[in-house]
Amino acid sequence: TATHANREECQGWQETEVMMPSTRTTKRYRVEDLEEAAQRLRDGAAIAFPTDTVYGLGANALDPTAIARVFEAKGRPQDNPLIVHVSDPTKLQRVAANVPEIARSLIAAYWPGPLTLLLPKSNSLPPSVTAGLSTVAVRMPSDPIALELIRRADVPIVAPSANLSGRPSATTWEAVVEDLDGRIDGVVCGPATRIGVESTVLDVLHEPPRLLRHGAISLQTLQPILPEIIDASHGSEAGHGATPPSPGMKHRHNQPKARVEIWDGADREGAANHDKGSRRGWIGVEAPPASVGYAKVVVCANADDYAAQLYETFRRMDQAEIDVIDCQAVPRHGIGAAIMDRLERASSRA
């Protein structure tokens, strides 16, 4: 969570706007100033805010100019569709042409929360939201700041991760500033995000349903409701030249400047024999082998903690000029599948 000192600093920043060389102004909003931030979102501004997963870069999903600003600020490829966020399931008619019965069951079970559903696109959405596809990805976050901001804006909000495209997603407002200061209109200075990895994305328009991106709501969690669900997170839709149906399927992302290596239990001891002249860092749920002499070590309490700390650790390792980050492999169960997916995409294994 945000420290008291951080909140005081944010309050001071909120009072003075920072002019950047790009001639744009990035304003720091306190949580108490959501009404102003919501008004600016409604009027076409690009404003970052905390969600339950990672910080999102918000814009009015019905405004093509605002959407274009999100792509420009992030340097995001135009063929990477955006997720639309709503504050209530009753708002779905503004973005989805219809909601299948199975989707309604999942909404009742998991919204608000880190579950994104692929639905038929409404004609009211600009084509840029969906990269020209006939489907739209929609979710309702559980974070109270995000919900209140979207409710006050009174429009559906696109909100891809608030970072430069390809870099680790931002899980703190400071990380948003690190990447996007001067490139966006504002950032809501809330606490660190709870989950730390992006939402689960599920396509229920196909039979059987397909999991397109791993997240906190795992394949095992969904199987009682969707017993025939298949893992399509590395499906052919993400191949060269194709427009992926979901973010996170095609373009490499969440990459620190350091090289990411994945180590399982047997491999950890082998780390000492690689790149002996490199500054190495470690993140995992166990302590690393002492023989390696790591310059920076992060030991997480469990898999949930690992997910919450992963992206921020990547950023801090870069600040510490770490050359190689050794990341401990975890079982692909529960949120472990999301962790391994993000590690593989950040490394050369994706």
Side-chain angles (χ1 to χ4, degrees), residues 67-83:
I67 294 162
R69 294 193 65 189
V70 168
F71 280 98
E72 177 187 9
K74 284 176 58 65
R76 184 182 179 93
Q78 295 290 324
D79 66 347
N80 200 3
L82 304 173
I83 293 176

Side-chain angles (χ1 to χ4, degrees), residues 261-274 280 282 286-289 291-292 294 326-330 340 349:
E261 296 283 355
I262 304 172
W263 299 95
D264 63 25
D267 288 337
R268 285 193 306 141
E269 296 299 334
N273 299 319
H274 293 268
R280 302 185 78 96
W282 171 272
E286 298 174 318
S291 58
V292 177
Y294 285 99
D326 289 335
C327 302
Q328 184 182 9
V330 294
M340 294 305 298
R349 300 192 188 184

Side-chain angles (χ1 to χ4, degrees), residues 76 91 108 131 148 180 193 203 217 225 238 297 344:
R76 184 182 179 93
K91 306 293 185 181
E148 183 64 14
L180 300 178
T193 59
D203 175 7
I217 298 178
I225 297 178
V297 172
E344 287 170 350

